[in-house]
Amino acid sequence: KPLGLGVARPRSAIKARPRAMGDATSPPLTVVRRGRRDEAGRNSRIACTLATALLLGFVALRQTSKTSSPKHVDKMAEAFSGPHYWIAHKIAKSQFPGLLSGAAAQHRILMALKPFGLTRRNSIYGHSICSDEVTADSSSLPSLLTRYYGRAFFLGGLGGAPFAGRTGFAAITRDMPDDGNVVLLFGPHMGFSLLGEPGKFLRPGQANASACCGAISYAYRQCMIKGRMAVDLRDMEQSWLRAKIHPACMNISRSKFPMVALVKHVYTAIEQEVFRLARGTDFGGAKVVLIGGIFINLPRPAPTHFMPLHFSIRFPGTKPMDLMAAFG
C-alpha cells in the first residue's frame, strides 16, 4: 500500500535498494555473502586441482623405476596402441588403397583357387619373404597359409627376395606331392609406427620404433651415402638389395613418401626375379600359383595386412591366367 502521499513501489525495488553501510553505493548484504561463497568455492577447486596434480606426480615418481624396464614399456605401448592403431591403418590405407587383412586375403585366395582343384593335400606351399621376425606374426598371410597347408618351403631372405634361386625352385618341385601343385607367395614388407610413420615399427621389448624393413632401409641409406658399392661375398643378400635400389635412389629420395616408394621399387625387383626363376623351372604337369604383394606391419594389436599386387595361375604349356579380380 502507498505510504503517505507517495506512489507505491514494488517489493523488488525495495529489496534492490542499497543498504546504508557508510556508502550509498555499497552492495546488498546478500550480494556480499554470495561473492564470498563464490570466492571460497574457487579457492577450494584450485586447492583440489593442485592436490590432485601433486598426488599424480608422486605416483609417477614412485613408478619411474618400474616403467624404465623394457618389459613394462612394451606393455604400456601395447595398451596405448590398442585403441589408436587406426591412425596408422588410415595412413597405410591411403598409401596402399587395396590393403587387406591377412585373414581376408587368405579367404579370397583359397576361394579363387577352389575351382582349379588346388587343395591342401595336393599342393605344396612356399614363400619368398623377409627373414625379419615380424613377418612371422600369427596374423600375417604367410603364417595363415603355412597353417592351412601344414608346411612352408622357405625361398626368401633379407628384404623378401628369392635368394634360394634356381636350386630352391628346383627343390620345391621335388618336394611337392605326386601329381601335385605349387603355391608361391612373395614380396617385401614394411611397418608403420603408432603415428603412421612409414618404415617404422615398434617391436616387442623396444621403447622406440625401429626400421622395418631394416635391410631395405639400410640398403637405401648405404646407396644414398656411399653410392654404388662393390659386391660383398660375406653379405650377398644385402649386396643384391643395394644393386637393385641404387639406380632408383635419387627418384626415391624425391618422392613425397620415400619409404613407400622404396618398398614398391623393391617389390618390382623381387617380382621380376620370381618370374625369371618360375619361367626357368620345370614344374612338370603342376599348376603353379604366384601371389605377390607387400606385407604391412601395423602397430599391435592390429593384424598384419597384405597389399596384393599379383595373383596368377600357370598351367603347363599355356599363358598365365590373371586372378587379381579375386581381390576386388
Side-chain angles (χ1 to χ4, degrees), residues 158 161-163 231 235-245 266 269-270 273 276:
L158 293 181
F163 291 114
V231 174
D235 201 9
M236 292 295 294
E237 295 184 5
Q238 193 70 5
S239 296
W240 187 92
L241 290 174
R242 287 196 298 265
K244 297 298 181 180
I245 292 172
V266 172
I270 292 174
E273 189 67 21
R276 281 194 291 267

Coordinates of all heavy atoms in Angstrom, one line a residue, residues 158 161-163 231 235-245 266 269-270 273 276:
L158 N 66.8 -61.6 -46.8 CA 66.7 -60.2 -46.5 C 65.8 -59.5 -47.5 O 66.1 -59.6 -48.7 CB 68.0 -59.6 -46.4 CG 68.9 -60.0 -45.2 CD1 70.3 -59.3 -45.2 CD2 68.2 -59.8 -43.9
A161 N 63.6 -61.1 -51.1 CA 64.0 -61.6 -52.4 C 64.2 -63.1 -52.4 O 64.6 -63.7 -51.4 CB 65.3 -60.9 -52.8
P162 N 64.0 -63.7 -53.5 CA 64.1 -65.2 -53.6 C 65.5 -65.7 -53.7 O 66.0 -66.2 -54.8 CB 63.3 -65.5 -54.9 CG 63.5 -64.3 -55.8 CD 63.5 -63.2 -54.8
F163 N 66.3 -65.6 -52.6 CA 67.7 -65.9 -52.6 C 67.9 -67.4 -52.7 O 69.1 -67.9 -52.9 CB 68.4 -65.4 -51.4 CG 68.4 -63.9 -51.4 CD1 67.7 -63.1 -50.5 CD2 69.2 -63.2 -52.3 CE1 67.8 -61.7 -50.5 CE2 69.3 -61.8 -52.3 CZ 68.6 -61.1 -51.4
V231 N 80.3 -55.7 -54.6 CA 79.6 -56.9 -54.0 C 80.5 -57.4 -52.9 O 81.7 -57.6 -53.0 CB 79.4 -57.9 -55.1 CG1 78.8 -59.2 -54.5 CG2 78.5 -57.4 -56.2
D235 N 78.3 -60.7 -47.5 CA 77.0 -60.0 -47.3 C 76.2 -60.0 -48.6 O 75.8 -59.0 -49.1 CB 77.2 -58.6 -46.8 CG 76.0 -58.0 -46.1 OD1 75.0 -58.8 -45.9 OD2 76.0 -56.8 -45.8
M236 N 76.0 -61.2 -49.2 CA 75.5 -61.3 -50.5 C 74.1 -60.8 -50.7 O 73.7 -60.1 -51.6 CB 75.5 -62.8 -51.0 CG 76.9 -63.3 -51.2 SD 77.8 -62.5 -52.5 CE 76.8 -63.0 -53.9
E237 N 73.2 -61.1 -49.7 CA 71.8 -60.7 -49.8 C 71.7 -59.1 -49.7 O 70.9 -58.5 -50.5 CB 71.0 -61.3 -48.7 CG 70.9 -62.8 -48.8 CD 70.1 -63.5 -47.7 OE1 69.4 -62.7 -46.9 OE2 70.0 -64.7 -47.7
Q238 N 72.4 -58.5 -48.8 CA 72.4 -57.0 -48.8 C 73.0 -56.4 -50.0 O 72.5 -55.4 -50.5 CB 73.2 -56.6 -47.5 CG 72.9 -55.1 -47.2 CD 71.5 -54.8 -46.7 OE1 70.7 -55.7 -46.5 NE2 71.2 -53.6 -46.5
S239 N 74.0 -57.1 -50.6 CA 74.6 -56.6 -51.9 C 73.6 -56.6 -53.0 O 73.5 -55.7 -53.8 CB 75.8 -57.5 -52.2 OG 76.8 -57.3 -51.3
W240 N 72.7 -57.7 -53.0 CA 71.7 -57.7 -54.0 C 70.7 -56.6 -53.9 O 70.3 -56.0 -54.9 CB 71.0 -59.1 -53.9 CG 70.0 -59.4 -55.0 CD1 70.2 -60.0 -56.2 CD2 68.6 -59.0 -55.1 NE1 69.1 -60.1 -57.0 CE2 68.0 -59.5 -56.3 CE3 67.8 -58.3 -54.2 CZ2 66.7 -59.3 -56.6 CZ3 66.4 -58.1 -54.5 CH2 65.9 -58.6 -55.8
L241 N 70.3 -56.3 -52.6 CA 69.4 -55.2 -52.4 C 70.0 -53.9 -52.8 O 69.3 -53.0 -53.5 CB 69.0 -55.2 -50.9 CG 68.1 -56.3 -50.4 CD1 67.9 -56.2 -48.9 CD2 66.7 -56.3 -51.1
R242 N 71.2 -53.7 -52.5 CA 71.9 -52.4 -52.9 C 71.9 -52.3 -54.4 O 71.7 -51.2 -54.9 CB 73.3 -52.3 -52.3 CG 73.3 -52.1 -50.8 CD 74.7 -51.6 -50.4 NE 75.7 -52.7 -50.7 CZ 76.2 -53.6 -49.8 NH1 75.7 -53.5 -48.5 NH2 77.1 -54.4 -50.1
A243 N 72.2 -53.3 -55.1 CA 72.3 -53.3 -56.5 C 71.0 -53.0 -57.2 O 70.9 -52.3 -58.2 CB 72.9 -54.6 -57.1
K244 N 69.9 -53.4 -56.6 CA 68.6 -53.2 -57.2 C 68.1 -51.8 -56.8 O 67.3 -51.2 -57.6 CB 67.6 -54.2 -56.7 CG 67.9 -55.7 -57.1 CD 67.9 -55.8 -58.6 CE 68.2 -57.2 -59.1 NZ 68.2 -57.3 -60.5
I245 N 68.5 -51.3 -55.7 CA 68.0 -50.0 -55.2 C 68.8 -48.8 -55.8 O 68.2 -47.7 -56.1 CB 68.0 -49.9 -53.6 CG1 67.0 -50.9 -53.1 CG2 67.7 -48.5 -53.1 CD1 67.1 -51.1 -51.6
V266 N 61.3 -52.1 -54.5 CA 61.9 -53.4 -54.2 C 60.9 -54.5 -54.6 O 61.4 -55.6 -55.1 CB 62.3 -53.4 -52.7 CG1 62.7 -54.9 -52.3 CG2 63.4 -52.5 -52.4
A269 N 61.4 -55.3 -58.2 CA 62.6 -56.1 -58.4 C 62.4 -57.5 -58.0 O 62.9 -58.5 -58.7 CB 63.8 -55.5 -57.7
I270 N 61.8 -57.8 -56.9 CA 61.5 -59.2 -56.4 C 60.6 -59.9 -57.4 O 60.8 -61.0 -57.7 CB 60.9 -59.1 -55.0 CG1 62.0 -58.6 -54.0 CG2 60.4 -60.5 -54.6 CD1 61.5 -58.4 -52.6
E273 N 62.4 -61.0 -60.5 CA 63.2 -62.2 -60.2 C 62.4 -63.5 -60.0 O 62.9 -64.5 -60.5 CB 64.1 -61.9 -58.9 CG 65.2 -62.9 -58.7 CD 66.3 -62.9 -59.7 OE1 66.4 -61.8 -60.4 OE2 67.0 -63.9 -59.8
R276 N 61.4 -64.7 -63.5 CA 62.5 -65.3 -64.2 C 62.8 -66.7 -63.7 O 63.0 -67.7 -64.5 CB 63.8 -64.5 -64.1 CG 63.8 -63.3 -65.0 CD 65.2 -62.7 -65.0 NE 65.6 -62.0 -63.8 CZ 65.4 -60.8 -63.5 NH1 64.8 -60.0 -64.4 NH2 65.7 -60.3 -62.3

